[in-house]
């Protein structure tokens, strides 16, 4: 069903963020998989910043677990609305962006 509507969520974290003493990005990915979200990706950045902090790069000796990690996932509005409350709890105080998108190819079946 080309040109169908969907929702894309982007979550901005850093690699040191944790959930119950485990890496938050992995815990979120596992949660999304368990909840049958259609597609999700974790991207580990080589440089960036969060919350108006200074730029961190993989070349800095003192980067030490502060590099950005971005999680992006896509699903129907209904499905996203169902998983967002838990994600907001898991990633409290982190930036979550929700966008309506158009599927140019493929479908969410």
């Amino acid at each position: 069903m080309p040109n169908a509507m969907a929702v894309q969520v982007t979550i901005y974290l850093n690699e040191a963020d944790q959930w119950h003493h485990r890496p938050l990005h992995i815990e979120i990915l596992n949660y999304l998989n368990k909840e049958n979200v259609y597609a999700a990706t974790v991207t580990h950045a080589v440089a960036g910043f969060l919350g108006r902090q200074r730029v961190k790069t993989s070349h800095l000796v003192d980067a030490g677990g502060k590099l950005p990690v971005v999680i992006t996932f896509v699903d129907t509005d209904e499905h996203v609305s169902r998983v967002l409350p838990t994600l907001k709890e898991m990633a409290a105080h982190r930036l979550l962006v929700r966008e309506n998108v158009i599927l140019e190819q493929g479908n969410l079946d």
Side-chain angles (χ1 to χ4, degrees), residues 25-103:
H25 60 283
I26 298 299
E27 292 300 301
I28 288 175
L29 193 63
N30 287 333
Y31 170 71
L32 294 173
N33 184 257
K34 184 183 90 174
E35 293 297 320
N36 295 313
V37 166
Y38 186 76
T41 302
V42 174
T43 305
H44 192 257
V46 297
F49 63 93
L50 291 169
R52 297 185 180 91
Q53 297 175 0
R54 69 185 189 116
V55 173
K56 307 284 198 266
T57 72
S58 60
H59 301 292
L60 290 176
V61 174
D62 65 347
K66 300 291 185 183
L67 289 172
V69 175
V70 179
I71 300 171
T72 306
F73 69 94
V74 177
D75 210 324
T76 63
D77 182 55
E78 179 182 338
H79 210 157
V80 168
S81 294
R82 186 169 52 79
V83 300
L84 267 182
T86 299
L87 294 175
K88 287 178 180 179
E89 179 185 344
M90 293 174 80
H93 310 293
R94 290 299 184 196
L95 183 64
L96 278 81
V97 178
R98 177 184 179 147
E99 303 173 89
N100 292 326
V101 295
I102 298 171
L103 299 178

Side-chain angles (χ1 to χ4, degrees), residues 6-25:
V7 175
Q8 178 173 294
V9 176
T10 306
I11 306 170
Y12 295 87
L13 309 170
N14 73 47
E15 61 190 350
D17 289 334
Q18 300 223 337
W19 177 255
H20 297 165
H21 308 290
R22 294 186 174 156
L24 179 57
H25 60 283

